[in-house]
Amino acid sequence: MKDLSTLTGAVHHDRVHDSAVKHVTGRADYTDDVAEPAGTLHAYLGVATVTHGTIRAMNLDRVRQAPGVVDVLTARDVPGVNDLSPTGRNDEPIFPDTVEYDGQPIFAVIADSRDAARRAAELADVSYDILPHATDALSAQAAGLPQVTDPLKLERGDLAAGQATAPHRIKARMTVGGQDHMYLEGHIAFAIPGEDDDVIVHCSTQHPSEAQHMVAHALGVPLNAVTVNVRRMGGGFGGKESQMNLFAAVAAIAAKRLHRPVKIRPDRDQDMTATGKRHDFVIDYDVAFDDDGRIHAVDSHFAARCGYSSDLSGPVTDRALFHADNAYFYPHVRLTSLPQKTNTVSNTAFRGFGGPQGVIAAERMIEEVAYALGKDPLEVRKTNFYGAEGRDLTPYHQQVTDNIIGRVVDELADSAQYQARRAEILQHNARGGILRRGIALTPVKFGISFTATHYNQAGALVHVYNDGSIHLNHGGTEMGQGLNTKIAQVLADAFQVDFDRIKITKTTTEKVPNTSATAASSGSDLNGMAALDAADQIKARLVTFAAETWGVAAEEVRFLPNAVQIGAEVVPFDTLIRRAYMARVHLSAAGFYKTPDIHWDRAAGKGRPFFYYAYGAACSEVTIDTLTGEYRVDRTDILHDVGRSLNPVLDRGQVEGAFLQGMGWLTTEELWWDDQGRLRTHAPSTYKIPLASDRPRIFNVALAEWSENRERTIKRSKAVGEPPFMLGISVFEALSMAVASVADYRICPRLDAPATPERVLMAVERLKAG
């Protein structure tokens, strides 16, 4: 095995995660590890016990009189604005008057211990005027509930004409479930009051600037009074992009009100009931195609359970439409969204941000076409891939100019021996028996950039101290994905110094303001370029200083490993830095980057919302038990495109983890609300994420080492956080093939997601019954 500890800090090489040893030894500091000053108090949320109703009366006397209780916060105690809506729609109160979902926070207890606060929160006497509720998108639509934001329509070509020219047409519906983030570290915020309006908030957030904004909004103070700090998170996956706002605001309000530090950390049950999930969708599709399997027209409608408020549902449902084509060209297309209000917790960002729900709809239509024509689904996929001019325009009118999906799929099909294995599986299934097998090779094309164009910006702050050590701070947040390691590698490469010379510090709004969320797979793209800009500014000053001091041309100054060549002389890096400092050269810089050449007109449904696309493919093989519906994943082969990888070992880890998380979304992870609107899968005992034993028995993961981003991204790399999540769809499609075998592949099984063993068994029985 390669010794990662001895490698240099240069990019395009394996480099162990900067906190890896701390992670496995328990020495990594998280928000809960911040030392508590004397007098620290603890908060806990009191929640509603009905799904929809107006609060008639709320008697909190017993809560206030409980042992250890110092204070209780309600809506009237919010000094600023009682709203946390990240989109400014004023529809997400910190504490509401009308309860919109079961488990909604309606007050907070502040006590001298977390246990005391938690116990006291159960003592409230609250009465309600009960109102009707609807917990899924279709029943909410039927009940006349509004949409949480404006829908989107993407349209290109002549839909009616495309449908008229196709000899085949299939209309059907697919239900795709949601998903809980299940981060190892739950939500937590710790607020320390300062003088005047000042407050420092340590919290586990992917979006420090938004948390800063929300805290300031709730306190009624300017942004410069609020500092938000994040050293690292124990996982985020989108669940800490906007959902931390409630906890940060409650801690900060209590801290300023009581002039004492306040920490809030919910139990896992409350974390799951009070925070949003991946949106579940009901997708209606109408696909028209010819005898060769080529799609002529697509008409799809995406109805999403958004929850009681808008949160990020607008951009999430938009991105579902952006990816409803996946890697396929639709000559004539209409895609529409329905971001439906429901009486459930407000759903939010989750890895892929609506993209996976769009991609799986595309793969279902390919599956429908293949079973209708008796073809190998891979053949139908390749027939419909984006291609040359005339077959390179997306439903949102962006031209696909970097298309490598054909090569990725062909190479994976060869290395995974797809055709030979599929033939053997067909022979196995033809013999009958209880155990049936399936195989599927599915592609991914995923657009990279925030669809809200203004978010595509980043800042970084770099200091070079006079001993030659370097301080790095940027606007991205580290949640285990290795972002800090990659940015430090970029900086080490820029200065040509050892990685260990660079000190990676916490993300803080004090140093880099107005940052975007670490989301949309853009962390390395944006923050890496910002850090490089800062390094280039400092290097330019050093080059000017060296050229003037040594009397050489600027072109004769070159950075070497831990040294600088100035004409014929090689000067140690430390020596040059010390001399530059003595000559009063500025050794600090604020870097900035904004993604070029992107634009989006939502009203017109046209533009270039994505800077580039990332591609990948996965081939998965499964075995199902037709008597029980149980199954196992026998083998998965993956080839994924990350451009010129900044750090291949970290990127492979991201691909592996994303695949398993995507597989969990489509197989074992099921969110279930009862008739009363109560979430019943609210703990690890009832909500099942994949275990180590669930991973494929054979798991081969490779990066497309020949790939290089055509766009000028950081070192020609590509994003890796979200795109491989959708590789898990290959497992879902392989399960579908195994089920279809019981009816000789004549019928598309139309599995809904997640394909739990119960759903697999019901699909088998359904096909057996004809």
Side-chain angles (χ1 to χ4, degrees):
M1 180 177 176
K2 191 180 296 182
D3 183 3
L4 302 182
S5 64
T6 62
L7 295 173
T8 68
V11 293
H12 310 312
H13 293 286
D14 290 347
R15 174 81 203 184
V16 69
H17 191 295
D18 73 286
S19 297
V21 174
K22 297 187 185 77
H23 288 158
V24 299
T25 59
R27 291 190 287 113
D29 285 339
Y30 295 87
T31 300
D32 206 23
D33 297 310
V34 176
E36 298 176 10
T40 294
L41 299 172
H42 297 265
Y44 205 81
L45 298 173
V47 301
T49 56
V50 301
T51 300
H52 191 201
T54 302
I55 298 176
R56 188 189 322 129
M58 185 161 58
N59 186 340
L60 301 177
D61 290 346
R62 292 179 63 211
V63 178
R64 298 179 191 280
Q65 294 163 9
V69 171
V70 176
D71 200 2
V72 178
L73 301 181
T74 63
R76 65 174 176 268
D77 300 313
V78 178
V81 180
N82 185 27
D83 177 63
L84 296 170
S85 171
T87 54
R89 297 180 70 93
N90 200 35
D91 62 355
E92 193 170 334
I94 299 171
F95 300 123
D97 295 321
T98 299
V99 172
E100 297 276 11
Y101 70 93
D102 182 76
Q104 183 173 11
I106 54 177
F107 66 90
V109 183
I110 319 299
D112 56 18
S113 72
R114 182 174 174 276
D115 183 64
R118 183 175 178 273
R119 292 177 183 276
E122 300 295 321
L123 302 177
D125 181 12
V126 185
S127 58
Y128 309 88
D129 291 323
I130 303 299
L131 298 170
H133 67 265
T135 57
D136 66 87
L138 298 185
S139 64
Q141 185 182 16
L145 269 66
Q147 295 168 28
V148 297
T149 187
D150 295 333
L152 175 67
K153 180 168 70 173
L154 302 180
E155 199 165 18
R156 198 197 66 247
D158 186 333
L159 186 66
Q163 291 171 337
T165 61
H168 307 285
R169 190 169 168 185
I170 294 175
K171 298 180 183 180
R173 170 174 286 177
M174 180 183 195
T175 298
V176 181
Q179 186 177 23
D180 189 86
H181 302 86
M182 197 56 74
Y183 22 64
L184 287 177
E185 175 207 35
H187 281 94
I188 182 167
F190 184 24
I192 302 174
E195 62 183 18
D196 302 323
D197 291 333
D198 293 355
V199 63
I200 297 171
V201 181
H202 301 272
C203 63
S204 186
T205 179
Q206 295 173 235
H207 200 344
S209 287
E210 183 174 278
Q212 176 194 34
H213 175 83
M214 292 303 172
V215 168
H217 197 55
L219 290 175
V221 301
L223 290 174
N224 62 12
V226 180
T227 298
V228 173
N229 295 328
V230 185
R231 175 59 185 95
R232 60 171 60 84
M233 285 167 278
F237 311 116
K240 295 176 181 175
E241 184 172 344
S242 64
Q243 300 294 289
M244 175 52 65
N245 298 336
L246 170 66
F247 303 97
V250 167
I253 291 168
K256 293 302 290 182
R257 176 181 168 92
L258 299 170
H259 308 290
R260 292 172 67 177
V262 175
K263 179 187 285 190
I264 181 170
R265 176 171 59 83
D267 284 349
R268 177 65 68 173
D269 296 78
Q270 190 174 89
D271 193 304
M272 291 185 72
T273 56
T275 65
K277 325 293 179 196
R278 180 185 296 282
H279 293 68
D280 52 328
F281 277 72
V282 177
I283 304 166
D284 292 297
Y285 55 90
D286 180 344
V287 56
F289 54 98
D290 61 25
D291 292 337
D292 294 326
R294 178 160 290 194
I295 293 172
H296 287 214
V298 167
D299 187 7
S300 290
H301 183 68
F302 292 74
R305 185 206 314 254
C306 295
Y308 81 98
S309 70
S310 58
D311 193 77
L312 298 172
S313 290
V316 167
T317 52
D318 285 3
R319 191 175 276 260
L321 301 195
F322 286 134
H323 291 85
D325 59 335
N326 192 18
Y328 311 116
F329 175 70
Y330 302 151
H332 308 281
V333 58
R334 179 175 64 199
L335 308 170
T336 54
S337 68
L338 179 75
Q340 181 64 53
K341 176 175 179 174
T342 54
N343 295 121
T344 53
V345 65
S346 195
N347 283 330
T348 190
F350 200 128
R351 196 176 196 167
F353 205 77
Q357 294 95 316
V359 171
I360 199 169
E363 294 308 319
R364 169 53 55 84
M365 288 188 288
I366 291 292
E367 188 181 38
E368 291 273 21
V369 172
Y371 284 114
L373 298 176
K375 292 180 176 290
D376 178 351
L378 181 58
E379 178 186 345
V380 178
R381 290 186 170 96
K382 295 171 74 170
T383 296
N384 287 286
F385 279 162
Y386 278 101
E389 187 175 353
R391 290 186 58 82
D392 61 352
L393 203 63
T394 67
Y396 43 94
H397 298 260
Q398 176 168 339
Q399 189 177 17
V400 180
T401 59
D402 60 355
N403 186 10
I404 59 171
I405 193 60
R407 180 174 177 182
V408 170
V409 166
D410 286 346
E411 288 191 6
L412 180 64
D414 287 343
S415 64
Q417 300 177 303
Y418 170 81
Q419 292 297 347
R421 289 166 58 200
R422 186 172 192 274
E424 191 273 326
I425 287 170
L426 289 172
Q427 292 176 3
H428 168 87
N429 291 342
R431 293 193 289 269
I434 294 171
L435 299 182
R436 299 297 181 96
R437 293 160 59 193
I439 189 170
L441 195 159
T442 60
V444 171
K445 170 185 131 291
F446 194 81
I448 304 300
S449 290
F450 287 98
T451 51
T453 304
H454 67 280
Y455 272 161
N456 295 287
Q457 59 175 302
L461 182 64
V462 174
H463 303 315
V464 179
Y465 292 100
N466 64 30
D467 65 349
S469 62
I470 299 171
H471 169 112
L472 166 65
N473 192 275
H474 59 84
T477 55
E478 175 63 53
M479 59 192 100
Q481 81 278 40
L483 175 63
N484 283 344
T485 305
K486 286 185 173 181
I487 307 304
Q489 284 180 272
V490 168
L491 210 58
D493 182 72
F495 286 111
Q496 287 291 291
V497 297
D498 293 335
F499 180 91
D500 293 340
R501 190 186 290 263
I502 296 166
K503 175 67 174 178
I504 305 167
T505 58
K506 67 179 181 291
T507 307
T508 175
T509 56
E510 280 186 320
K511 291 185 177 179
V512 179
N514 308 318
T515 60
S516 298
T518 304
S521 303
S522 63
S524 296
D525 280 6
L526 296 177
N527 296 287
M529 291 294 270
L532 183 60
D533 177 54
D536 285 344
Q537 293 178 48
I538 298 170
K539 286 173 64 181
R541 296 178 202 142
L542 290 172
V543 168
T544 299
F545 165 72
E548 292 175 353
T549 303
W550 272 262
V552 300
E555 294 75 22
E556 296 181 73
V557 181
R558 292 193 310 118
F559 284 79
L560 305 176
N562 294 308
V564 181
Q565 183 173 351
I566 310 172
E569 186 176 351
V570 175
V571 179
F573 182 80
D574 296 355
T575 301
L576 177 65
I577 294 301
R578 181 66 181 175
R579 291 192 61 173
Y581 162 73
M582 296 300 293
R584 296 181 294 177
V585 175
H586 186 31
L587 298 175
S588 177
F592 180 77
Y593 174 75
K594 61 179 181 179
T595 308
D597 305 325
I598 54 173
H599 54 91
W600 172 240
D601 184 341
R602 190 177 188 273
K606 296 181 179 181
R608 188 194 178 191
F610 304 121
F611 192 33
Y612 64 88
Y613 296 100
Y615 298 88
C619 178
S620 291
E621 180 180 336
V622 302
T623 300
I624 71 169
D625 185 325
T626 57
L627 295 183
T628 65
E630 294 174 292
Y631 51 81
R632 68 169 184 253
V633 183
D634 298 309
R635 175 176 168 179
T636 293
D637 296 80
I638 291 172
L639 180 61
H640 196 71
D641 159 41
V642 295
R644 287 200 68 199
S645 174
L646 292 173
N647 187 323
V649 72
L650 289 186
D651 284 348
R652 280 195 297 273
Q654 284 290 290
V655 172
E656 292 166 0
F659 168 83
L660 287 169
Q661 192 174 46
M663 184 184 81
W665 165 54
L666 296 172
T667 56
T668 63
E669 298 184 45
E670 185 172 26
L671 294 167
W672 187 73
W673 284 262
D674 66 16
D675 292 341
Q676 301 302 310
R678 296 171 294 186
L679 179 67
R680 290 308 205 180
T681 49
H682 54 77
S685 57
T686 52
Y687 183 83
K688 297 301 184 182
I689 64 172
L691 304 174
S693 57
D694 294 320
R695 72 174 183 83
R697 270 55 175 178
I698 301 172
F699 197 19
N700 302 316
V701 176
L703 305 180
E705 296 181 354
W706 44 264
S707 177
E708 181 173 289
N709 202 333
R710 296 181 185 179
E711 301 295 343
R712 188 176 177 271
T713 55
I714 186 67
K715 303 296 180 181
R716 303 290 180 177
S717 64
K718 288 188 178 184
V720 70
E722 293 172 301
F725 180 93
M726 283 142 284
L727 299 174
I729 294 173
S730 61
V731 173
F732 187 76
E733 294 289 298
L735 289 170
S736 187
M737 177 187 173
V739 171
S741 71
V742 304
D744 199 25
Y745 314 102
R746 298 186 308 273
I747 306 170
C748 180
R750 293 182 181 170
L751 282 171
D752 285 332
T756 59
E758 294 88 348
R759 283 202 175 99
V760 169
L761 179 60
M762 287 188 288
V764 167
E765 294 300 319
R766 191 168 61 244
L767 293 192
K768 283 181 177 178

